[in-house]
Amino acid sequence: MNRNAKTIAVPEKDVRMARSRIGVEPIASQYKGMVSAADGIGRVAAEGKFVGGSYANHAGKRSYKLYIPGAFRGQALPLIVMLHGCSQDPDDFAVGTRMNTIAEENNCFVLYPAQTESANGSRCWNWFEALNQKRNLGEPSIIADMTRDIIKTCRIDTRKVFIAGLSSGGAMAAIMGTTYSEMYAAVGIHSGLPYASARNYSSALTVMMNGNGAGEQDGNARLIVVPRRKTMPTIVFHGDRDTTVHPSNGDQIVAQLISIAAHHGRLPEGESFPHITVGQGRVNNGRTYTHAVHRDHDGRIIAEHWIVHGAGHAWSGGSSLGSFTDPRGPDAGREMLRFFLSHA
């Protein structure tokens, strides 16, 4: 548990009831009889519960944390899958993004899969390995099967399952949206990279630093040939002073989505550019931003692209209690959930 989080003891019978609802047991004894309390800054909301579990399939085993909203009484609710970045863990990511607090306000579950140090020494999701860019293999299969398990045990509304991530988690969210487009209704990518933009560690460093990697056209071509049941609505956030993942990766994510939309006939014949609406704004006492909405010929949104001016490699609008956050930016968590629910 994050060392800054407050804890309060609850009756063991209530803990057993919470576990029985979702069919999991805590992953460490430190969670027994304890739930985190809210302080209004991004820790777990007091009304809900934050519990741990694990899931294993043929590709491996990963632990997770699950936020259960206080209003849950067995009814079908939305689920947001949140993939942390390098050197983070579910507790840190939940605090930094404030997503549990946002989910409590909107009656949503939040699932935080955890990467292991044995899989990656920096706890990054291995988005750059070809094995992890395919359906039913590697880390994507673990995340997908874990999602299915939570959907089943928590009676999740299957029309309202979403996935988002930061940095390596953002890159993995792009992979999940591509390879499991029937499972997720929308995707959020913060400071991430396009699908299949690297095939090994060396090319990953290239695309992170330069933003071109295998090349935009090559990346688009690979994305088009991946079988998809639908074009995935995606919201992208990126700081234009990001020196860890080059900001042009956000542009290339959007370019891939537009290419897919054209492939699915969502743009007028012979045209490769959607209708774009661009606006600018400023957070009170904070950063300026540019917000672009890309729509197809029927007016349906293909992508939203938020460029946060002056921001580095950090979750926009997050809490300073978490790592890799920028409290001065627009609230990426709230904007993502607003976008997600509009595409359910």
Side-chain angles (χ1 to χ4, degrees), residues 21 45-49 67-78 100-109 154-155:
R21 284 177 179 173
E47 294 85 355
K49 292 181 171 64
Y67 182 71
I68 308 169
F72 178 61
R73 297 293 184 273
Q75 74 274 37
L77 295 177
N100 290 348
T101 298
I102 296 169
E104 178 64 27
E105 295 169 357
N106 292 274
N107 293 331
C108 298
F109 281 79
C154 298
R155 306 172 188 174

Side-chain angles (χ1 to χ4, degrees), residues 55 60-65 81-90 93 111-117 119-129 132-133 138-144 146 163-176 193 201 204 208:
Y55 188 85
K61 181 178 181 179
R62 296 292 186 276
S63 62
Y64 62 79
K65 295 295 290 289
V81 180
M82 293 285 287
L83 302 176
H84 64 74
C86 299
S87 80
Q88 294 182 314
D89 60 30
F93 199 40
L111 172 65
Y112 299 87
Q115 179 62 299
T116 63
E117 289 189 4
N120 184 292
S122 298
R123 297 200 301 275
C124 306
W125 297 100
N126 294 301
W127 58 273
F128 48 85
E129 296 178 353
N132 292 315
Q133 297 168 3
E139 292 171 1
S141 75
I142 301 173
I143 296 168
M146 184 186 293
I163 190 163
L166 172 68
S167 191
S168 71
M172 185 57 73
I175 292 171
M176 298 304 297
L193 302 103
Y201 183 72
M208 287 172 65

Side-chain angles (χ1 to χ4, degrees), residues 220-231:
N220 287 342
R222 279 200 299 273
L223 197 54
I224 285 175
V225 299
V226 175
R228 302 183 71 160
R229 297 184 182 182
K230 63 180 179 181
T231 304

Side-chain angles (χ1 to χ4, degrees), residues 1-5 31 36 41-45 50 63-67 80-103 109-115 122-125 143 162-174 187-192 235 237 313-326 331-334 336 340:
M1 187 174 296
N2 185 277
R3 63 177 180 273
N4 293 316
Y31 300 119
S36 294
I41 306 179
R43 299 173 192 170
V44 183
F50 204 26
S63 62
Y64 62 79
K65 295 295 290 289
L66 179 70
Y67 182 71
I80 310 161
V81 180
M82 293 285 287
L83 302 176
H84 64 74
C86 299
S87 80
Q88 294 182 314
D89 60 30
D91 289 293
D92 178 32
F93 199 40
V95 169
T97 61
R98 297 189 176 102
M99 191 56 78
N100 290 348
T101 298
I102 296 169
F109 281 79
V110 191
L111 172 65
Y112 299 87
Q115 179 62 299
S122 298
R123 297 200 301 275
C124 306
W125 297 100
I143 296 168
F162 316 104
I163 190 163
L166 172 68
S167 191
S168 71
M172 185 57 73
V187 176
I189 303 173
H190 201 311
S191 309
I235 181 169
F237 270 79
H313 193 66
W315 186 273
S316 181
S319 168
S320 60
L321 294 177
S323 64
F324 300 102
T325 63
D326 183 358
D331 193 331
R334 293 188 186 280
M336 284 188 182
F340 291 163

Side-chain angles (χ1 to χ4, degrees), residues 202-284:
S202 177
S203 60
L205 293 178
T206 298
V207 72
M208 287 172 65
M209 295 301 296
N210 302 323
N212 51 18
E216 183 178 310
Q217 291 182 344
D218 188 31
N220 287 342
R222 279 200 299 273
L223 197 54
I224 285 175
V225 299
V226 175
R228 302 183 71 160
R229 297 184 182 182
K230 63 180 179 181
T231 304
M232 182 64 64
T234 302
I235 181 169
V236 178
F237 270 79
H238 217 117
D240 66 2
R241 294 293 182 267
D242 191 334
T243 58
T244 301
V245 177
H246 196 281
S248 64
N249 281 288
D251 300 326
Q252 292 170 4
I253 292 169
V254 174
Q256 286 190 334
L257 295 166
I258 294 170
S259 179
I260 294 171
H263 181 72
H264 283 249
R266 290 181 56 183
L267 300 181
E269 187 174 354
E271 293 189 16
S272 58
F273 297 98
H275 176 73
I276 305 174
T277 303
V278 180
Q280 294 184 324
R282 176 187 291 274
V283 177
N284 289 336

Side-chain angles (χ1 to χ4, degrees), residues 159-160 162 185 339-344:
R159 302 167 302 169
K160 300 178 181 180
F162 316 104
F339 180 87
F340 291 163
L341 294 177
S342 72
H343 289 88

